[in-house]
Amino acid sequence: MSEPVTALATAELALADDALVLSHRLGEWAGHAPVLEEEVALANIALDLLGQARTLYSGLGDEDELAYLREERDFRNCQLVEQPNGDFAATIVRQLFFSTWQELLYGQLTAHPLATKAVREVAYHRDHAEHWTLRLGDGTTESHTRTQRALDALWRYTGELFQPLPGLDADWAALRAGWDERIADVLGRATLSVPEGPREGGWAAGAGRQGLHTEPFGRLLAEMQHLHRSHPGAKW
Amino acid sequence: MTTVLPGTPGDAGAARAAEAETAQTRAETEARTYGPAFDAAVAADERIEPRDWMPDAYRATLVRQIAQHAHSEIIGMQPEANWITRAPSLRRKAILMAKVQDEAGHGLYLYSAAETLGTGRDELLDKLHNGRQKYSSIFNYPTLTWADVGAIGWLVDGAAITNQVPLCRCSYGPYARAMVRICKEESFHQRQGYELLLELSRGTDAQHAMAQDAVNRWWWPSLMMFGPPDDESAHSAQSMAWKIKRHSNDELRQRFVDICVPQAEALGLTLPDPDLRWNEEHGRWDFGPIDWDEFKAVLKGNGPCNEQRISQRRTAHENGAWVREAAAAYAARERNRTAERDRTAERAQGSQPEEVAAR
């Protein structure tokens, strides 16, 4: 398999991997959601993300080769999206962090063909995550506690979102400022606090983009790739 | 009506009896008054709508059938969702996720249809979780290989469509309309399942063998989806008289076999029935005996996955309780906030005329 040759291709591969891996995590919810409406909503978001991944991969090579035949160290997704689903609050917080970032980034990439198409999808994802953040944060004591815990646990993976992806024509400082503002606003309305822990340094910043992942990711890939790898060359 | 003084136990019993008698008398009077119009509407193939009078037993049968149908969509997500994370190509993964999502959507339409009969989704889900209402026996079989996803699409959805297309003309309007929408999506899923099997059948030897093995395991359970033979079907006669059902179990099963045999041939796969032969005289395929003992065992809860399916459903519901409570608490708070805003606005408006008057 050939490595992407341009900076833009490398950046697109990272965006595609983000979408694929988060879509996979959301797919794990099927049949386990707290209400039927969320079965529909989570599957819907997963499908949008899978569609984005496929569009990007197809521009870079064979989508199935890229998804199924690369090793863990070759994947360029950020560590946030590979985090296990946890409870519904953890899934919603992960989605809020990611979708807000994606909406702001895609809003900037007006020249990119995928971004113009996907920006409406990601606005819907952000809206869904935002509404649930409000319900959970300002719901019961239990839901508030769980959501704050999820925010605190996932916060360390957010710094990576703002490591510039060379090749993408984006203003990363503005992206970060916009994201901080949006998240602070939503969390404030949800009666939740913006976590204070570190957002970068060591493994937490930019590691996924370099193929350094967290431990659960290897198992995700083992499950995802197993069947495809068991039948080399087969068509499905 | 006799006036009964409340308070003494004997009188309370008499009051209950009188109440029951009154309810029964009222039902009888209603049946005499509206029954003929109901029968005439059914006979004329008109649709019965939620506000129309209907016999209690008609209502009960529909609630049972629609709820069971809704539950089947919800439980039916599990065997297929079992393969979402392992789907062997991104295209197949997208198709499978969309299908499982459609099933949740079908469950939602059907619970809504059941709710028009005066029941609630929560109540129906409780009955599913405590085993008082059933779902289709087919979903108690495990999906062991990727080919099972194709076999479910082709055979299980195929059988469901054969059963459900006549329901588009069912006498109860909301159910019939739900079926029109559902059947369109189901036919699409069935074609995709067939196409998945075709790709496997024409693929490598290992893929072909995987497809054949899946068809071998799903064929007989699919035939059981049409229910017990006509002479043992408890609800059939009444349901047909009410035009809830349009064809007998055996009739639909035969129709399904006749459709599947040539399709299997086109797929390059065999059906696991040594007795399958063309009957020249009747112009249909004769097939071997169905193992009704297995069918009964699965219905009783002793199939391969009964325990697992219900337990996953219950766990999802229980794990989701705090989420539903949070949503309810938030909604209540929002209502209060809106009411408070309205009161403030009213007060602001209310004070206006006084100020004007003062001036």
Side-chain angles (χ1 to χ4, degrees):
Chain A
M1 205 168 323
S2 52
E3 283 291 303
V5 283
T6 65
L8 176 61
T10 308
E12 284 179 338
L13 187 65
L15 296 181
D17 289 349
D18 284 348
L20 176 75
V21 171
L22 186 53
S23 162
H24 185 95
R25 283 293 187 215
L26 293 172
E28 294 173 351
W29 269 104
H32 299 275
V35 280
L36 279 179
E37 284 80 357
E38 283 308 296
E39 294 284 0
V40 178
L42 295 174
N44 200 356
I45 297 169
L47 271 169
D48 284 346
L49 290 168
L50 183 54
Q52 293 168 17
R54 295 182 67 193
T55 304
L56 285 167
Y57 285 143
S58 305
L60 300 168
D62 180 285
E63 60 172 24
D64 286 337
E65 258 181 55
L66 287 164
Y68 291 98
L69 298 177
R70 275 182 306 150
E71 303 286 338
E72 181 175 341
R73 294 279 285 109
D74 302 322
F75 271 82
R76 292 286 177 265
N77 55 284
C78 60
Q79 292 181 347
L80 176 68
V81 295
E82 73 201 29
Q83 294 312 303
N85 288 335
D87 64 8
F88 189 68
T91 290
I92 289 300
V93 167
R94 184 183 63 195
Q95 199 65 43
L96 176 74
F97 286 164
F98 183 74
S99 300
T100 304
W101 174 78
Q102 221 189 0
E103 187 185 13
L104 292 170
L105 176 65
Y106 281 20
Q108 282 193 20
L109 302 179
T110 42
H112 198 287
L114 172 79
T116 48
K117 179 184 159 288
V119 78
R120 250 174 310 170
E121 292 173 356
V122 300
Y124 161 77
H125 305 168
R126 192 262 311 144
D127 189 59
H128 173 263
E130 227 175 78
H131 276 101
W132 271 112
T133 304
L134 295 175
R135 287 186 201 109
L136 298 180
D138 195 14
T140 61
T141 312
E142 182 182 7
S143 68
H144 180 91
T145 310
R146 283 177 183 259
T147 311
Q148 189 62 53
R149 200 181 295 152
L151 286 164
D152 295 340
L154 290 169
W155 187 250
R156 74 190 61 203
Y157 300 108
T158 57
E160 184 174 10
L161 297 172
F162 307 102
Q163 294 292 311
L165 286 166
L168 279 191
D169 186 18
D171 178 343
W172 296 90
L175 182 64
R176 180 168 199 149
W179 189 90
D180 281 349
E181 196 183 317
R182 291 278 284 274
I183 294 296
D185 172 60
V186 178
L187 297 190
R189 284 189 287 138
T191 73
L192 295 159
S193 331
V194 177
E196 284 169 1
R199 296 164 71 180
E200 46 235 293
W203 291 84
R209 298 285 185 230
Q210 292 151 38
L212 297 171
H213 294 279
T214 56
E215 286 183 348
F217 186 54
R219 282 190 294 280
L220 180 154
L221 284 189
E223 185 170 342
M224 183 173 90
Q225 297 181 337
H226 166 262
L227 180 59
H228 186 96
R229 285 181 183 266
S230 303
H231 297 262
K235 286 200 176 63
W236 300 95
Chain B
M1 210 209 288
T2 357
T3 315
V4 184
L5 290 173
T8 52
D11 284 350
R16 271 199 300 277
E19 235 168 63
E21 197 186 270
T22 317
Q24 200 191 343
T25 315
R26 195 167 45 236
E28 279 164 14
T29 312
E30 277 183 9
R32 264 198 310 279
T33 316
Y34 305 115
F38 173 83
D39 292 341
V42 170
D45 270 336
E46 282 169 22
R47 289 284 160 79
I48 307 301
E49 297 298 338
R51 287 163 169 277
D52 294 340
W53 181 88
M54 62 188 84
D56 289 345
Y58 177 84
R59 188 183 298 274
T61 294
L62 276 168
V63 168
R64 181 180 51 78
Q65 186 175 334
I66 300 174
Q68 180 169 327
H69 195 159
H71 300 333
S72 302
E73 296 282 359
I74 301 312
I75 297 285
M77 294 167 69
Q78 290 183 30
E80 293 177 286
N82 183 37
W83 280 92
I84 286 179
T85 52
R86 291 175 290 167
S89 74
L90 296 187
R91 175 170 163 262
R92 292 291 175 199
K93 189 173 185 163
I95 291 172
L96 183 57
M97 279 207 280
K99 183 181 178 188
V100 173
Q101 183 192 22
D102 279 349
E103 279 157 6
H106 296 171
L108 283 170
Y109 303 159
L110 287 162
Y111 285 122
S112 300
E115 284 178 336
T116 64
L117 292 160
T119 178
R121 198 212 292 182
D122 292 345
E123 188 188 332
L124 297 176
L125 280 175
D126 281 346
K127 285 184 178 160
L128 168 66
H129 297 155
N130 61 30
R132 287 200 292 135
Q133 280 178 344
K134 297 198 178 310
Y135 55 88
S136 181
S137 61
I138 192 86
F139 300 120
N140 292 312
Y141 291 86
T143 45
L144 301 177
T145 72
W146 170 250
D148 289 32
V149 170
I152 289 183
W154 175 43
L155 294 173
V156 176
D157 293 342
I161 292 163
T162 310
N163 259 330
Q164 291 170 8
V165 164
L167 286 174
C168 297
R169 295 185 295 126
C170 158
S171 60
Y172 188 58
Y175 192 25
R177 288 187 289 274
M179 291 324 303
V180 172
R181 293 182 67 176
I182 291 173
C183 283
K184 272 186 207 154
E185 292 177 354
E186 292 289 2
S187 318
F188 187 59
H189 299 158
Q190 197 215 2
R191 275 204 300 278
Q192 289 172 327
Y194 183 87
E195 195 244 335
L196 190 164
L197 280 183
L198 189 64
E199 186 86 46
L200 293 182
S201 179
R202 290 177 177 174
T204 64
D205 290 350
Q207 285 177 305
H208 181 90
M210 194 193 278
Q212 183 62 61
D213 169 61
V215 169
N216 291 350
R217 283 181 290 111
W218 288 93
W219 172 248
W220 290 108
S222 302
L223 293 192
M224 295 176 194
M225 284 176 71
F226 296 92
D230 292 348
D231 46 10
E232 288 174 34
S233 179
H235 305 288
S236 276
Q238 184 59 73
S239 288
M240 285 178 76
W242 277 330
K243 296 193 179 170
I244 294 173
K245 232 175 135 154
R246 296 282 178 157
H247 311 278
S248 79
N249 294 352
D250 287 334
E251 216 178 312
L252 290 169
R253 188 168 11 244
Q254 181 68 52
R255 191 180 288 183
F256 178 65
V257 172
D258 292 341
I259 293 169
C260 286
V261 173
Q263 289 180 344
E265 203 168 307
L267 279 172
L269 298 170
T270 59
L271 296 171
D273 181 358
D275 297 329
L276 198 63
R277 28 191 90 72
W278 178 247
N279 182 323
E280 194 69 53
E281 192 191 336
H282 295 105
R284 65 169 194 228
W285 287 89
D286 287 339
F287 53 96
I290 290 172
D291 182 352
W292 292 113
D293 289 341
E294 176 179 322
F295 177 70
K296 283 173 201 156
V298 176
L299 272 193
K300 266 197 203 137
N302 299 322
C305 298
N306 298 58
E307 186 53 41
Q308 177 191 331
R309 300 287 185 240
I310 282 294
S311 139
Q312 178 179 326
R313 186 81 267 296
R314 263 194 226 128
T315 306
H317 193 73
E318 283 161 13
N319 287 348
W322 70 271
V323 178
R324 296 190 298 275
E325 282 157 18
Y330 179 77
R333 207 163 284 149
E334 277 288 275
R335 271 194 302 277
N336 285 342
R337 281 193 276 255
T338 311
E340 185 55 39
R341 271 196 297 276
D342 288 351
R343 275 197 295 277
T344 313
E346 260 170 44
R347 271 200 297 276
Q349 267 185 348
S351 60
Q352 209 95 15
E354 280 176 30
E355 278 174 27
V356 173
R359 249 177 250 151

